Amino acid sequence: MNDFLHSESPFADFRGGMTRRNFVTGCAALSLGCAAKRSSQYSVPLLGDVHYDTPPLEVFHSEFKRLHSEDGMFDKYRAEFESFSSMWGEGGRSAALIASSGKIRRADAAFALQLGDLIEGDCESSAHHARMLAEALGLMKRTYGDIPFVTVAGNHDVRKGEHRQGEFENYRRDISKWHSHELGRKIDDITFSFRSGPDLWIIADYNRPNIELVEKLLNEHRDARYTVFCTHGAVLTDGARGSRRWFFLGRPQYSETTGKKPSPEELAAMEPIWTAARRRVRRLLAERQAIVLSGHSHKLELRDWFGDGGRITEFVMNSVTRTVSGKDVPGEPAVITENPADFGRYRGKTALKKDEALDRLYAEYESGIKRYYSALAAGHAELIFSDWGVQANYYALDSLKPCASFKLR
């Protein structure tokens, strides 16, 4: 193994159904509360993006096909729908990967975590979207059993075709009910926090960031041993120099007036506000020596940044087994770089050859990156928390034996 630098559920109608778990009695969420008091060591099964779907693509995307066959949007997304739905069909590798994550679950597992884009979305039908989400959550519950399953909101989880966040309110309603049941207390938003033993966990909405709430949660838990900040888009930008749209507080994801891609005028007006917010959150997390867990890039990455008087260590996880074009993603990491000097040097497909504003943004981070690892890989992981540190063990595809280890603290 490579070591890189040392009551019935409100969703009982989901496929597979669920029954009241015996730990929701006298102790809200046993794995997060009572058990954690007995020991400061615990583990967390971890998944990156999974993009749950079902072949053929018409199962969930028939309305998208009907509405967008004439305007070209269906042709634009067809390959993605076919590739990601086929991951879950006969010969696909995603179901086996998920099952293996449940099989390696340790006795001290406190909860299971998934880092956004749980589903593919783009149904153009709220009923189809709700069923897709229900099936994905049911699969996770069958996989992890009697420990809570927590998920982070990704861009696909709320996406409805051209309307980038057309299912946002429906998703917020349904996932808040889910988390309330799983964690044994009232959760009424996508951004929230909980304690696992002595540690603070913040689940942050990447689509519509609420920095006032994030700051409030951090201030209320200054006694935490470790602060873990979970969001879909990266906090330390994207290691490959792509669009700033795809990291936390990079730029607005949607227009306040149309719900679609923001106009150049809207972006220009909002950029100073979002830049100030991004720096504010970065400083708050650095001061807490935060560990960040994120997804979205479909890569396995580690970024360790020192600045703003502190440190942020970000672990990026991927569990998508095929690319948009239909190619299989390797399980064993295909390493792109382990050189901190390479951070920000790789330009993504959406990055302009000359973008002075993006160059200035990356310059804020480049000198502070002390560890940087980037690889193409699809798998699952386990996080181990103790007084001696935090470690992430990575398992390739459906393997039951880790092939890489990352020291986060």
Side-chain angles (χ1 to χ4, degrees), residues 49-118:
D49 300 34
V50 297
H51 289 260
Y52 177 83
D53 208 332
T54 300
L57 65 84
E58 285 79 10
V59 172
F60 287 120
H61 306 289
S62 57
E63 277 299 289
F64 192 103
K65 182 178 181 180
R66 183 182 69 82
L67 293 171
H68 297 297
S69 289
E70 297 297 325
D71 63 13
M73 275 193 71
F74 179 70
D75 289 337
K76 178 181 178 181
Y77 287 100
R78 180 169 189 159
E80 177 178 330
F81 295 159
E82 289 178 339
S83 178
F84 287 168
S85 64
S86 69
M87 294 189 303
W88 298 94
E90 185 176 354
R93 303 181 298 169
S94 291
L97 184 157
I98 302 300
S100 296
S101 179
K103 291 175 183 176
I104 61 99
R105 171 189 151 184
R106 293 159 50 109
D108 64 356
F111 60 97
L113 176 67
Q114 192 272 331
L115 294 169
D117 283 2
L118 176 64

Side-chain angles (χ1 to χ4, degrees), residues 144-156:
Y144 296 113
D146 62 354
I147 61 172
F149 173 74
V150 178
T151 183
V152 175
N155 53 303
H156 279 261

Side-chain angles (χ1 to χ4, degrees), residues 124-140:
E124 287 287 21
S125 160
S126 293
H128 289 172
H129 189 277
R131 184 161 66 90
M132 180 186 277
L133 179 60
E135 289 189 10
L137 290 171
L139 171 63
M140 297 302 164

Side-chain angles (χ1 to χ4, degrees), residues 9-14 18 118-119 123 125-138 149-153 157-158 166-183 185-192:
S9 162
F11 288 83
D13 58 339
F14 281 12
M18 285 158 288
L118 176 64
I119 61 174
C123 297
S125 160
S126 293
H128 289 172
H129 189 277
R131 184 161 66 90
M132 180 186 277
L133 179 60
E135 289 189 10
L137 290 171
F149 173 74
V150 178
T151 183
V152 175
D157 296 318
V158 303
E167 294 291 348
F168 183 88
E169 293 302 332
N170 291 334
Y171 174 84
R172 177 163 62 180
R173 177 198 65 217
D174 292 344
I175 211 64
S176 295
K177 289 179 181 177
W178 174 269
H179 284 141
S180 295
H181 179 262
E182 291 294 286
L183 299 178
R185 65 179 176 85
K186 178 69 173 176
I187 304 289
D188 57 10
D189 207 344
I190 296 174
T191 297
F192 62 94

Side-chain angles (χ1 to χ4, degrees), residues 91-378:
R93 303 181 298 169
S94 291
L97 184 157
I98 302 300
S100 296
S101 179
K103 291 175 183 176
I104 61 99
R105 171 189 151 184
R106 293 159 50 109
D108 64 356
F111 60 97
L113 176 67
Q114 192 272 331
L115 294 169
D117 283 2
L118 176 64
I119 61 174
E120 170 65 7
D122 280 335
C123 297
E124 287 287 21
S125 160
S126 293
H128 289 172
H129 189 277
R131 184 161 66 90
M132 180 186 277
L133 179 60
E135 289 189 10
L137 290 171
L139 171 63
M140 297 302 164
K141 201 66 231 167
R142 293 192 299 275
T143 298
Y144 296 113
D146 62 354
I147 61 172
F149 173 74
V150 178
T151 183
V152 175
N155 53 303
H156 279 261
D157 296 318
V158 303
R159 217 166 79 169
K160 189 176 185 179
E162 187 180 7
H163 194 298
R164 297 286 183 178
Q165 299 189 8
E167 294 291 348
F168 183 88
E169 293 302 332
N170 291 334
Y171 174 84
R172 177 163 62 180
R173 177 198 65 217
D174 292 344
I175 211 64
S176 295
K177 289 179 181 177
W178 174 269
H179 284 141
S180 295
H181 179 262
E182 291 294 286
L183 299 178
R185 65 179 176 85
K186 178 69 173 176
I187 304 289
D188 57 10
D189 207 344
I190 296 174
T191 297
F192 62 94
S193 71
F194 59 88
R195 294 289 288 258
S196 184
D199 304 327
L200 170 65
W201 289 75
I202 295 178
I203 307 299
D205 182 14
Y206 148 85
N207 297 293
R208 302 186 185 184
N210 185 337
I211 60 172
E212 287 76 17
L213 178 55
V214 168
E215 184 165 13
K216 177 176 180 290
L217 296 173
L218 287 169
N219 287 334
E220 288 176 349
H221 298 275
R222 291 187 172 276
D223 62 328
R225 176 182 62 177
Y226 301 118
T227 295
V228 189
F229 187 82
C230 309
T231 187
H232 182 60
V235 167
L236 295 176
T237 74
D238 190 349
R241 193 172 298 217
S243 169
R244 64 191 302 163
R245 173 182 167 194
W246 299 123
F247 55 88
F248 191 75
L249 289 168
R251 77 164 174 79
Q253 298 293 307
Y254 73 104
S255 167
E256 294 282 1
T257 55
T258 68
K260 300 178 182 179
K261 183 178 179 180
S263 68
E265 293 75 20
E266 286 176 303
L267 289 176
M270 292 294 291
E271 182 175 352
I273 299 171
W274 276 58
T275 296
R278 174 176 55 80
R279 290 171 177 168
R280 177 181 170 189
V281 170
R282 186 184 67 194
R283 176 181 55 78
L284 290 169
L285 293 176
E287 289 174 350
R288 295 292 291 268
Q289 312 287 319
I291 295 169
V292 173
L293 303 175
S294 66
H296 184 77
S297 68
H298 295 193
K299 292 189 180 79
L300 177 67
E301 295 197 318
L302 177 70
R303 307 160 188 159
D304 208 357
W305 182 79
F306 291 77
D308 288 345
R311 177 188 184 188
I312 298 173
T313 305
E314 183 161 37
F315 183 65
V316 185
M317 185 63 196
N318 174 54
S319 302
V320 175
T321 59
R322 283 186 181 161
T323 67
V324 171
S325 61
K327 296 180 181 179
D328 284 342
V329 178
E332 295 278 344
V335 178
I336 299 170
T337 183
E338 297 182 41
N339 184 359
D342 287 335
F343 180 83
R345 290 191 178 181
Y346 299 97
R347 291 184 179 271
K349 293 180 180 179
T350 58
L352 302 175
K353 291 184 177 180
K354 291 185 179 181
D355 188 333
E356 293 182 359
L358 199 62
D359 290 343
R360 288 194 298 271
L361 188 152
Y362 272 86
E364 294 183 24
Y365 297 86
E366 288 169 348
S367 63
I369 294 290
K370 304 306 178 185
R371 286 191 299 166
Y372 178 45
Y373 172 98
S374 180
L376 296 175

